[in-house]
Amino acid sequence: MGKFITLEGIEGVGKTSNLRYIKELLESSGHDCVVTREPGGTNLGEALRGLLLSHSDDNMSADSELLMMFAARAEHLSKVILPALENDQTVLCDRFTEATYAYQGGGRLLDVDKISELEEWVQGELRPDLTIILDAPVEIGRARAGSRSEPDRIEKEQDDFFQRVRSAYIELADHYPHRICLVDASKEFVAVQQQIQEQLVEYDILNS
Ligand code: Z5A
């Protein structure tokens, strides 16, 4: 089985930028990488992403949002993630189930037991080998993301929502230190990349 690595954090912390760096790093040490994202990664998943992020249903219920995240994930696992892992490829995924705990659990205040039941149902035993949470204060993430296009349905939530999301991520890292680490993403690019490289070594993804 290949390695399954996910990247997490609030908006604007640098997931997309650092995913490119991780891919280059792993490929230069011989990994065959598949880069993907959630929600998305398949035709159905990308269609669900469009629905989840558009403003056409600003009153979507939190339960509907949760179920759509897992519907997209079920498709993603069966069509992309599991086949790649079984083919000994390294899967680099921009967000996965930890985002559901953080956004739907922390942000929307949904019952965490509902999320773990769905996690069990959709994933069985599968968990990422390593989840890197890029952590930075909400103001920094928002300022970095702010220079881009119009905010999507979730991005337009208020700061207290994103504070809860950030706290939920920090709690996840505290609970599962064997597979989740925090990186201080408030630092400049080079310092963030240095920490990421150290964690990839620490968690035995890269040789030292
Ligand atoms: N969501 C959910 O609710 N539940 C779930 O289960 C899942 C997802 C899976 C889509 O995610 C939404 O789905 C997301 C959570 C929800 N909504 N929100 N918020 P997404 O990952 O596609 O969207 P995003 O979080 O909004 O990603 P993003 O805004 O594209 O952020 P990013 O990828 O982390 O940042 P970036 O594009 O790499 O960097 C942003 C800018 O900052 C860019 O100009 C960089 O050059 C700059 N940057 C990055 N790092 C640095 C440093 N270190 N110094 C200076 N400047 C930097």
Side-chain angles (χ1 to χ4, degrees):
M1 283 285 271
K3 296 285 185 190
F4 183 24
I5 302 166
T6 63
L7 207 55
E8 298 279 356
I10 56 170
E11 65 161 330
V13 283
K15 294 176 299 299
T16 312
S17 328
N18 285 299
L19 213 58
R20 283 193 291 271
Y21 167 73
I22 296 173
K23 178 174 186 279
E24 282 166 22
L25 206 58
L26 292 177
E27 284 180 345
S28 67
S29 75
H31 287 252
D32 178 7
C33 295
V34 171
V35 177
T36 186
R37 68 172 181 179
E38 291 211 350
T42 62
N43 290 339
L44 177 63
E46 291 295 329
L48 288 169
R49 179 187 178 91
L51 292 171
L52 279 159
L53 301 185
S54 90
H55 294 277
S56 59
D57 189 356
D58 278 343
N59 291 320
M60 181 185 296
S61 81
D63 279 345
S64 307
E65 186 179 273
L66 171 66
L67 290 167
M68 282 166 74
M69 292 295 176
F70 271 102
R73 184 160 300 137
E75 186 76 359
H76 197 201
L77 279 162
S78 76
K79 299 266 169 66
V80 177
I81 297 175
L82 290 172
L85 293 175
E86 279 156 12
N87 198 26
D88 286 334
Q89 290 172 293
T90 298
V91 176
L92 297 179
C93 192
D94 191 341
R95 299 192 182 281
F96 191 63
T97 304
E98 281 60 39
T100 314
Y101 281 104
Y103 281 80
Q104 281 64 51
R108 300 272 187 240
L109 301 170
L110 284 180
D111 182 355
V112 169
D113 290 343
K114 279 187 183 173
I115 301 175
S116 58
E117 272 177 44
L118 289 167
E119 181 181 41
E120 212 60 42
W121 181 31
V122 169
Q123 294 167 226
E125 305 266 286
L126 182 81
R127 300 291 179 274
D129 294 290
L130 173 61
T131 296
I132 299 173
I133 297 175
L134 298 178
D135 178 59
V138 171
E139 317 78 77
I140 292 187
R142 292 216 119 168
R144 287 182 189 163
S147 50
R148 296 177 317 197
S149 55
E150 176 138 353
D152 63 40
R153 192 182 60 85
I154 297 176
E155 285 168 349
K156 76 175 184 29
E157 289 295 334
Q158 302 301 308
D159 281 359
D160 59 339
F161 174 91
F162 291 103
Q163 298 289 5
R164 291 198 300 277
V165 173
R166 183 184 181 205
S167 302
Y169 272 133
I170 293 171
E171 264 179 49
L172 285 168
D174 280 349
H175 274 96
Y176 304 104
H178 59 289
R179 63 174 180 89
I180 304 182
C181 68
L182 282 182
V183 155
D184 181 354
S186 66
K187 303 220 179 319
E188 60 182 33
F189 266 121
V190 177
V192 175
Q193 292 175 350
Q194 175 69 32
Q195 295 174 70
I196 289 174
Q197 182 171 15
E198 285 166 10
Q199 296 297 349
L200 290 169
V201 171
E202 177 80 26
Y203 284 82
D204 277 338
I205 308 285
L206 276 182
N207 295 324
S208 45

